C-alpha cells in the first residue's frame, strides 16, 4: 500500500553568505529528516529584498545557497528545491494572508523590531509584512513540519495562528504546521559577541563562520573567539563563549555537551578552540568541494531549479485555488 508521506518545508534567505548557524540550526536537520518526509526547500529571494541587496550578488547568493543545499546532502528523491520567486503562488497567497494578519501581531515580531530599529527612518513595508510571506511559503505546501533555528519560532507561531484563524472562518484549508527546533545548534552565537546570534549580516566578520571560509580563516576566527573569565571548561549560561563552542561541537558530532565537557577535564580554553576549528574545517571541507562542483555546472543547476519550480507550483496552485474559492474570488 502506498503511504503518503508528511510534508516538510523550509528556506534560507540568500543574503550575504550562509553561516555555520544556518547550517547547524537548519540545513543539517533538513538532511537528517528528509527521508521521512516529502520536502520542499527553497532559497527565499523575495524575503531577501526586504533589506537592500546588490542585484548581482543576490543572484549569485541564490545559486550558492541552492548548490549548498545539494552539497549538504539534500536528495532530489525526497526533496523539491527551487527559487522562491520562480513560484508566483508565494506572493499571491501572501497577499491574501496579509488581509488576515493584524498590524499588532506583526508589530510584536522581535526580528522586525530588531531590523527596523537598525533601518533608521526608511523602513520598507516589506520588512513589516514579511511574516505573512513566510506563512505563505509554509501553508501553500500544507507543511506538517518546518525545521528552523530558534530565531524563527515566533514567525512559526504566527503562521499557526493565521492558519487556524482562516480555517475557523472557511473550513480546513490549511494544515497547521509544527516547528522542528533542534535541541542543540538552534542558536549558534557570534564568536566575537556570544550574547548575540551568529548572523549573515554581522557587523564584525570575525564573529561569523561562513560556509565558504578557508581553513585558515576558520582557525583564525576560532582562535580569536571571545571566551569567558576563568579557565575551567564548563557548560553553563554564564560562560556563553565556551558554551557556544561546545554547542558547535555537539551539533556536529552528536555527542552531548556533558560528554564533551568530561573530555576537556584538565584542558585549557585554547584546546577547545583549536579542536572546534578543526572539527568545523573537516565538516565544511566536503561541503565546500561539492558546492563548487554544483556551481560549475550552472546549466544542470538551472535545470534542477526549473523542474523544482514546476513541481512546487503544481502543489502550490492546488492550495491557492482552494483559498481563492473560499474567500469568494470568481473561478478563472
Ligand atoms: P534566515 O535566512 O535568517 O536563516 C535560515 C535558517 O537558519 C537558522 N539560523 C540559525 N540557526 C542557529 N543559529 C543561528 N545563529 C542561526 N541563524 C539563522 C534560521 O532559524 C533559519 O531556520 N524567514 C526565514 C527564512 C524563511 C523560512 C520560510 C523558513 C522564509 N520562509 C519558510 C522556514 C519556512 C529566515 O529569514 O531565515
Amino acid at each position: 500500500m502506498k503511504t503518503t508521506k508528511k510534508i516538510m518545508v523550509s528556506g534560507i534567505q540568500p543574503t550575504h553568505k550562509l553561516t555555520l548557524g544556518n547550517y547547524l540550526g537548519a540545513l543539517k536537520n533538513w538532511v537528517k529528516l528528509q527521508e521521512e518526509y516529502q520536502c520542499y526547500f527553497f532559497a527565499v529571494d523575495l524575503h531577501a529584498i526586504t533589506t537592500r541587496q546588490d542585484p548581482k550578488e543576490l543572484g549569485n547568493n541564490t545559486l550558492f545557497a541552492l548548490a549548498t543545499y545539494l552539497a549538504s546532502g539534500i536528495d532530489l528523491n525526497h526533496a523539491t528545491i527551487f527559487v522562491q520567486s520562480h513560484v508566483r503562488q508565494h506572493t499571491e497567497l501572501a497577499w491574501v494572508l496579509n488581509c488576515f494578519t493584524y498590524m499588532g501581531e506583526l508589530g510584536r515580531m522581535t526580528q522586525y523590531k530588531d531590523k527596523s530599529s537598525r533601518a533608521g527612518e526608511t523602513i520598507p513595508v516589506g520588512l513589516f509584512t514579511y511574516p505573512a510571506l513566510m506563512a505563505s511559503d509554509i501553508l501553500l505546501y500544507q507543511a506538517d513540519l518546518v525545521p528552523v533555528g530558534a530565531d524563527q519560532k515566533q514567525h512559526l507561531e504566527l503562521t499557526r495562528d493565521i492558519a487556524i484563524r482562516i480555517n475557523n472562518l472557511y473550513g480546513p484549508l490549511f494544515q497547521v504546521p509544527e516547528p522542528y527546533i533542534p535541541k542543540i545548534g538552534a542558536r549558534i552565537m557570534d564568536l566575537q559577541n556570544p550574547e548575540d546570534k551568529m548572523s549573515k549580516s554581522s557587523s564584525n566578520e570575525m564573529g561569523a563562520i561562513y560556509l565558504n571560509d578557508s581553513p585558515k580563516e576558520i582557525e583564525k576566527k576560532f582562535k580569536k573567539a571571545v571566551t569567558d573569565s576563568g579557565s575551567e571548561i564548563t557548560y553553563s549560561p554564564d560562560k556563553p563563549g565556551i558554551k557556544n563552542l561546545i554547542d558547535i561541537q555537539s551539533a556536529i558530532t552528536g555527542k552531548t555537551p556533558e560528554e564533551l565537557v568530561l573530555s576537556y577535564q584538565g584542558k585549557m580554553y585554547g584546546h577547545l578552540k583549536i579542536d572546534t576549528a578543526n572539527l568545523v574545517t573537516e565538516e565544511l571541507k566536503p561541503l565546500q568541494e561539492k558546492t563548487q562542483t554544483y556551481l560549475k555546472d550552472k546549466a544542470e543547476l538551472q535545470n534542477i531549479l526549473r523542474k523544482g519550480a514546476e513541481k512546487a507550483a503544481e502543489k502550490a496552485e492546488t492550495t491557492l485555488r482552494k483559498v481563492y474559492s473560499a474567500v469568494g474570488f470568481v473561478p478563472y
Side-chain angles (χ1 to χ4, degrees):
M1 199 177 77
K2 190 172 174 254
T3 50
T4 43
K5 284 184 172 177
K6 289 197 166 190
I7 295 174
M8 179 156 79
V9 165
S10 204
I12 299 181
Q13 288 197 47
T15 46
H16 211 264
K17 301 176 244 172
L18 303 195
T19 68
L20 188 63
N22 298 135
Y23 178 68
L24 296 179
L27 198 43
K28 203 169 160 65
N29 299 310
W30 304 357
V31 176
K32 195 173 80 186
L33 297 167
Q34 65 178 340
E35 283 180 24
E36 287 165 47
Y37 291 84
Q38 190 188 337
C39 311
Y40 295 88
F41 297 128
F42 32 77
V44 294
D45 54 348
L46 295 168
H47 282 272
I49 61 162
T50 54
T51 55
R52 213 51 83 229
Q53 300 297 319
D54 175 274
K56 195 157 172 242
E57 265 185 39
L58 178 59
N60 287 338
N61 290 340
T62 303
L63 294 179
F64 180 81
L66 290 152
T68 307
Y69 294 2
L70 292 167
S72 305
I74 293 298
D75 180 344
L76 296 175
N77 290 314
H78 304 297
T80 304
I81 72 160
F82 60 98
V83 179
Q84 184 191 28
S85 65
H86 290 181
V87 181
R88 60 172 173 73
Q89 287 84 354
H90 287 246
T91 40
E92 291 189 42
L93 181 63
W95 173 254
V96 178
L97 301 185
N98 263 315
C99 298
F100 292 85
T101 307
Y102 305 136
M103 301 284 284
E105 289 174 319
L106 293 174
R108 279 195 291 279
M109 295 294 116
T110 50
Q111 209 170 67
Y112 168 71
K113 287 196 241 174
D114 283 354
K115 287 195 179 173
S116 59
S117 67
R118 277 183 264 135
E121 304 226 316
T122 48
I123 302 167
V125 175
L127 198 59
F128 186 66
T129 59
Y130 150 127
L133 177 59
M134 179 161 162
S136 165
D137 299 340
I138 296 167
L139 300 180
L140 267 180
Y141 300 99
Q142 306 291 347
D144 296 282
L145 195 73
V146 183
V148 284
D151 61 338
Q152 295 300 321
K153 187 165 179 264
Q154 203 186 19
H155 291 155
L156 249 297
E157 279 161 7
L158 178 63
T159 301
R160 289 171 56 87
D161 289 345
I162 299 170
I164 292 168
R165 180 173 305 151
I166 296 181
N167 286 350
N168 285 341
L169 283 166
Y170 301 110
L173 288 173
F174 298 124
Q175 175 67 30
V176 180
E178 294 289 337
Y180 174 94
I181 296 172
K183 280 204 187 74
I184 302 279
R187 202 168 159 79
I188 301 297
M189 307 310 274
D190 188 292
L191 298 181
Q192 286 301 307
N193 182 5
E195 307 283 342
D196 275 354
K197 71 162 189 181
M198 184 182 285
S199 152
K200 297 185 208 94
S201 53
S202 179
S203 53
N204 182 350
E205 293 226 333
M206 288 296 287
I209 300 288
Y210 299 107
L211 296 188
N212 59 355
D213 276 351
S214 68
K216 269 217 162 68
E217 284 168 313
I218 293 173
E219 188 184 285
K220 189 165 135 207
K221 289 178 181 179
F222 277 109
K223 273 191 175 162
K224 294 223 155 102
V226 168
T227 41
D228 313 283
S229 57
S231 59
E232 201 193 340
I233 295 173
T234 56
Y235 186 75
S236 110
D238 57 10
K239 285 198 172 185
I242 295 298
K243 179 175 178 294
N244 193 32
L245 299 184
I246 294 175
D247 277 337
I248 291 172
Q249 286 209 17
S250 174
I252 292 177
T253 61
K255 291 184 187 158
T256 64
E258 294 71 29
E259 282 176 87
L260 289 163
V261 167
L262 265 181
S263 73
Y264 280 102
Q265 265 184 352
K267 294 197 179 155
M268 321 272 278
Y269 286 174
H271 293 122
L272 179 65
K273 288 182 177 186
I274 288 291
D275 289 351
T276 313
N278 289 340
L279 203 60
V280 169
T281 302
E282 284 310 307
E283 179 81 5
L284 295 189
K285 202 169 153 228
L287 184 69
Q288 293 174 339
E289 286 166 4
K290 286 187 202 150
T291 303
Q292 286 317 316
T293 311
Y294 282 110
L295 283 174
K296 270 201 196 107
D297 194 350
K298 284 257 160 52
E300 176 56 13
L301 185 58
Q302 303 270 15
N303 193 24
I304 292 173
L305 299 179
R306 195 167 33 246
K307 282 196 197 135
E310 273 169 25
K311 195 164 163 217
E314 228 175 88
K315 174 86 181 166
E317 183 65 14
T318 310
T319 302
L320 188 69
R321 291 233 176 195
K322 278 202 299 189
V323 174
Y324 274 10
S325 162
V327 299
F329 293 165
V330 172
Y332 56 95

